[in-house]
Amino acid sequence: MSQLLEVSGVSVSFDGFKALNNLSFSIGKAELRAVIGPNGAGKTTFMDVVTGKTRPDEGSVLWGEPPVSLLGKSESKIATAGVGRKFQRPTVFEDQSVQDNLIMALKKARSPLSVLLFKPEASDFARVDELADVIGLGPVLSMKSGELSHGQKQWLEIGMLLAQEPKLLLVDEPAAGMTLAERKKTTQILRDAAKSRAVVVVEHDMDFVRRLDCRVTVLHEGSVLAEGYIDHVTQNQQVIEVYLGR
Amino acid sequence: MAELTAGPARRRPLVVRYPSVLIFLTCLGLFTLGATILSEGFGIGVISTSFVKTLGKTLCLCLVALGMDLVWGYCGILSLGHMAFFGLGGYAIGMWLMYERTRLIVVDSLAAGGLPATPEEISSGIAAQIFGVVGASEFPPVWAVAHSLPLQLAAVVLAPGLLALVFGWLAFRSRVTGVYLSILTQAMTLALSLYLFQNDSGLRGNNGLSGLQNLPGLENTSQAIVSIWFLWGSALALGLGYVLAAWMVSGKFGSVLRGIRDDEARVRFLGYPVEAFKLFVFTVSAVLAGIAGAIYYPQAGIINPAELAPIASIYLAVWVAIGGRGRLYGAVIGAAFVSLLSSWFTGGQAPDLNILEYRIQWVDWWTVLLGLSFVAVTLFAPKGIGGLFDLLAARRNPNRHGQDLGPDHGSLREKEADA
Ligand SMILES: Nc1ncnc2c1ncn2[C@@H]1O[C@H](COP(=O)(O)OP(=O)(O)O)[C@@H](O)[C@H]1O
Ligand SMILES: [Mg+2]
């Protein structure tokens, strides 16, 4: 199977500290992958590299078919190429309504002129309603998103991610601050999304990862420690030492 | 059941999405009508022609403030150089006004000599008249198209527009934001002003351009009439500018701008080219400023490089802050209120105040008062004068426990926003 994203030999150092150390990672077109690892393992930095926020010192990031390098591309170019990202801390536009947040995320032309001349059509509103239903924010569409609860903001951000219709979703700790029922629903959304696209989920919660029922990549000190199904990696002696045993 | 669910906003006409447009246009229309009726030129003569000019100029200042609100209030770019664009617009129209009026005078005086004058004689006559004060007698290259009204009108838009485009491209591309960007814009207007102060800038150095109130070919029309025309022109420009700005900020474009103001990194990850948006709105607002300047200076009669001094642009930011940024009517109210008050205080009309032994003369003390009000507004009423309308509409602040609405410098503070 040809890969959608192929990261190889990537290193990033901050003032001499290696946040990523010769990291290699790849994911297929319709695949769900969980990334786990202790705090500071480099999970967020990995996403920063893929989305163009951080330039790696070495290594390559190849995307799509035929593969093109993502290195040196701007964040917005990478995003329009099909990489969507959900941040660890929920980041939605708090001064704007839930609906405006979703409309902004909808997959449409992004240049200033086309945005200026953009007129939402019935189909766009329908899509927004549909997404709002999926993320359970239908009744609060006209509310300012700053007034949502922490969990609702997480949902909204997931909704915005889906609205972008990316080929690859990078989801950083989506379940933080959610109740068990909400976590279960998040699991379902992510699994559904992964039927037609690649989804990378960073998560701490082992039960959550177990429910995702997918391959797991364990990061430690900036490189891959183990990879495989959850039961396989949880039996790995090194993984137990650095992560699970604590 | 359908009517029970709070229906989310659907696409509605601009006036519904942005109700202040209709109210604003009505007020502006009534104001213009009222001023016309009270004027000497067309009405009962209760207000003087010079006051009509003050009102017209104020409307132009409101138009720049509108542009300033677009970049600062909506996009979070605190430009402290916008009056450079305003001045460029003024210079662009001033060149034609001065050229054409001098030409008519020169042609007249040469005709009195008997023989028909050659184009060369006329041209050097005009040049000697205009540039005598700076010891030159030839047209500098910047005056190449000064004879043509359409071309100078194009320059009103192009000069500020191109400057903004080039400056913005350089600054935004290297992702200069926050305080550094503000300092750069100050440097831009300072550099332009210093350049214009030089005699060999070609724009008469510190003399600037003068006599701009005299429209060529209309020597027999009194200023009382001309001032009303300009009042109408200013009102029309402000009205159109308001509609344009409201249209820009009310749709998805406005959403993206506010997103950039509060959290530009997030906007990038949604795939929007943030730099292009900033450049776009910066240039549009520079053009608005240029047009405002082109209508302002014929009413002021004179423009010189001091008008482009950095302090002028700082005042502009103060007006918008006092009026309330991030709402178009706030910018307009702030500019109108503060600039009118300022001309009242500095015009020597305000009575002096005696405190104990000390005599407060407002001409000197007005700036202090303005500074204090600015600090007070920033601290205690961040929504500015425009925030008073929130009281009417019973809008409230979000309760965010002191948190801003986004991580960026320009983002709205808790007290500036409404829930
Ligand atoms: N911008 C930065 N400057 C300096 N150090 C950083 C920066 N970003 C991340 N780091 C460091 O890199 C390491 C990896 O961080 P991160 O990728 O956020 O870990 P994780 O998301 O796995 O918890 C941490 O030790 C963190 O302190
Ligand atoms: Mg992290």
Side-chain angles (χ1 to χ4, degrees):
Chain A
M1 187 170 75
S2 73
Q3 300 292 299
L4 177 66
L5 177 76
E6 191 127 21
V7 174
S8 31
V10 163
S11 296
V12 172
S13 52
F14 297 108
D15 307 321
F17 171 77
K18 284 218 162 184
L20 291 184
N21 188 4
N22 195 19
L23 175 87
S24 296
F25 177 96
S26 68
I27 187 167
K29 285 199 175 71
E31 187 184 345
L32 180 60
R33 178 78 61 87
V35 174
I36 61 174
N39 257 328
K43 306 181 296 288
T44 301
T45 308
F46 160 68
M47 291 195 175
D48 288 345
V49 167
V50 175
T51 53
K53 189 178 176 198
T54 300
R55 295 260 168 93
D57 304 324
E58 41 187 312
S60 69
V61 179
L62 295 178
W63 168 260
E65 192 62 46
V68 289
S69 172
L70 290 185
L71 297 183
K73 289 200 181 183
S74 70
E75 294 97 317
S76 56
K77 285 252 168 60
I78 293 177
T80 41
V83 179
R85 174 171 189 183
K86 190 210 154 300
F87 290 80
Q88 189 165 347
R89 184 178 58 84
T91 41
V92 295
F93 299 106
E94 311 221 336
D95 190 37
Q96 306 194 41
S97 70
V98 172
Q99 172 166 276
D100 286 345
N101 270 279
L102 288 170
I103 286 185
M104 228 193 298
L106 282 183
K107 187 177 182 185
K108 299 277 167 184
R110 296 301 207 216
S111 76
L113 215 55
S114 47
V115 171
L116 191 59
L117 300 176
F118 171 78
K119 263 195 189 155
E121 285 160 18
S123 61
D124 300 320
F125 287 119
R127 176 84 183 120
V128 166
D129 287 349
E130 193 185 315
L131 285 164
D133 276 346
V134 172
I135 56 178
L137 295 182
V140 293
L141 262 185
S142 48
M143 209 174 188
K144 285 225 171 148
S145 67
E147 298 211 297
L148 302 179
S149 71
H150 188 83
Q152 284 176 315
K153 284 183 196 169
Q154 298 271 45
W155 283 114
L156 175 55
E157 206 178 349
I158 292 173
M160 289 166 73
L161 200 53
L162 297 175
Q164 276 176 268
E165 296 174 28
K167 296 195 184 91
L168 167 68
L169 279 77
L170 299 172
V171 192
D172 206 347
E173 306 203 11
M178 286 187 175
T179 64
L180 185 63
E182 288 172 332
R183 279 160 189 256
K184 284 189 171 153
K185 193 169 167 187
T186 309
T187 316
Q188 199 48 51
I189 293 178
L190 293 173
R191 290 182 54 158
D192 285 347
K195 283 177 186 150
S196 54
R197 62 197 86 199
V199 179
V200 176
V201 186
V202 163
E203 190 48 69
H204 272 306
D205 179 7
M206 269 302 165
D207 291 329
F208 186 87
V209 173
R210 205 172 283 280
R211 271 196 304 274
L212 285 176
D213 187 25
C214 62
R215 280 170 71 86
V216 178
T217 300
V218 185
L219 286 195
H220 177 56
E221 292 180 350
S223 36
V224 177
L225 190 65
E227 200 165 279
Y229 278 89
I230 186 88
D231 295 323
H232 171 75
V233 299
T234 47
Q235 277 156 26
N236 181 310
Q237 199 54 43
Q238 277 177 301
V239 174
I240 294 169
E241 267 169 36
V242 306
Y243 188 53
L244 302 165
R246 297 198 299 174
Chain B
M1 275 308 285
E3 62 274 11
L4 280 182
T5 51
R10 288 289 177 258
R11 187 69 179 182
R12 295 153 305 162
L14 180 64
V15 278
V16 184
R17 269 181 293 143
Y18 213 91
S20 86
V21 169
L22 214 55
I23 301 170
F24 179 80
L25 291 182
T26 310
C27 292
L28 184 65
L30 290 177
F31 166 81
T32 313
L33 188 66
T36 307
I37 291 173
L38 296 179
S39 73
E40 287 172 345
F42 281 79
I44 54 179
V46 175
I47 56 177
S48 70
T49 296
S50 80
F51 190 64
V52 171
K53 287 187 179 182
T54 303
L55 293 179
K57 286 190 289 181
T58 304
L59 294 180
C60 297
L61 296 177
C62 293
L63 183 55
V64 214
L66 211 53
M68 179 70 184
D69 202 23
L70 276 182
V71 291
W72 185 34
Y74 285 90
C75 200
I77 306 166
L78 176 52
S79 163
L80 293 178
H82 252 56
M83 291 311 260
F85 306 126
F86 186 77
L88 280 182
Y91 266 103
I93 197 67
M95 286 160 78
W96 177 78
L97 286 170
M98 209 164 167
Y99 179 97
E100 187 60 17
R101 206 172 79 86
T102 315
R103 188 184 70 85
L104 294 177
I105 294 171
V106 168
V107 167
D108 270 355
S109 69
L110 287 178
L115 284 170
T118 64
E120 289 76 33
E121 279 174 329
I122 295 178
S123 170
S124 65
I126 304 171
Q129 279 277 327
I130 296 182
F131 300 106
V133 286
V134 290
S137 57
E138 268 176 42
F139 277 107
V142 275
W143 288 73
V145 296
H147 59 273
S148 156
L149 178 60
L151 290 180
Q152 283 300 137
L153 284 179
V156 163
V157 171
L158 291 179
L162 284 177
L163 177 63
L165 203 62
V166 171
F167 176 89
W169 187 74
L170 291 171
F172 300 140
R173 192 185 55 132
S174 12
R175 300 210 178 161
V176 181
T177 54
V179 180
Y180 298 98
L181 189 88
S182 304
I183 293 174
L184 269 192
T185 54
Q186 281 265 286
M188 174 194 73
T189 191
L190 178 64
L192 192 59
S193 161
L194 291 180
Y195 173 73
L196 289 173
F197 262 120
Q198 294 181 323
N199 282 346
D200 50 14
S201 68
L203 290 162
R204 298 180 15 124
N206 63 347
N207 304 288
L209 308 180
S210 53
L212 310 183
Q213 73 280 20
N214 304 309
L215 303 185
L218 293 172
E219 287 76 14
N220 298 326
T221 314
S222 81
Q223 284 293 312
I225 304 278
V226 173
S227 65
I228 289 294
W229 289 348
F230 270 99
L231 181 75
W232 291 344
S234 310
L236 183 67
L238 179 59
L240 291 175
Y242 198 93
V243 173
L244 174 77
W247 176 67
M248 282 175 73
V249 302
S250 62
K252 185 159 101 163
F253 190 82
S255 279
V256 175
L257 288 191
R258 280 173 285 157
I260 292 173
R261 173 191 67 198
D262 293 335
D263 191 349
E264 68 174 65
R266 183 70 182 94
V267 179
R268 281 203 186 94
F269 289 118
L270 277 181
Y272 290 98
V274 167
E275 285 68 38
F277 275 82
K278 286 184 175 178
L279 193 56
F280 187 94
V281 69
F282 191 67
T283 306
V284 166
S285 98
V287 167
L288 282 181
I291 292 172
I295 310 176
Y296 179 96
Y297 284 105
Q299 304 181 70
I302 179 164
I303 180 171
N304 65 49
E307 304 279 320
L308 283 75
I311 186 71
S313 301
I314 294 180
Y315 276 130
L316 178 62
V318 170
W319 297 341
V320 174
I322 289 183
R325 72 176 180 135
R327 51 181 84 213
L328 297 175
Y329 55 90
V332 172
I333 292 170
F337 179 73
V338 184
S339 71
L340 281 177
L341 208 61
S342 155
S343 54
W344 186 65
F345 275 118
T346 56
Q349 280 137 302
D352 290 350
L353 205 64
N354 288 307
I355 298 175
L356 302 175
E357 292 299 290
Y358 198 81
R359 194 174 169 80
I360 291 195
Q361 289 177 316
W362 285 114
V363 178
D364 305 322
W365 277 86
W366 155 244
T367 340
V368 176
L369 181 68
L370 181 61
L372 290 177
S373 331
F374 176 59
V375 173
V377 165
T378 315
L379 290 180
F380 304 115
K383 287 184 179 183
I385 304 173
L388 295 177
F389 290 87
D390 285 6
L391 297 179
L392 291 178
R395 286 201 284 192
R396 64 203 165 77
N397 293 122
N399 181 6
R400 303 173 54 78
H401 311 284
Q403 286 219 312
D404 299 339
L405 280 99
D408 289 354
H409 289 297
S411 72
L412 285 194
R413 289 176 292 153
E414 180 186 30
K415 284 182 177 168
E416 278 181 290
D418 45 49

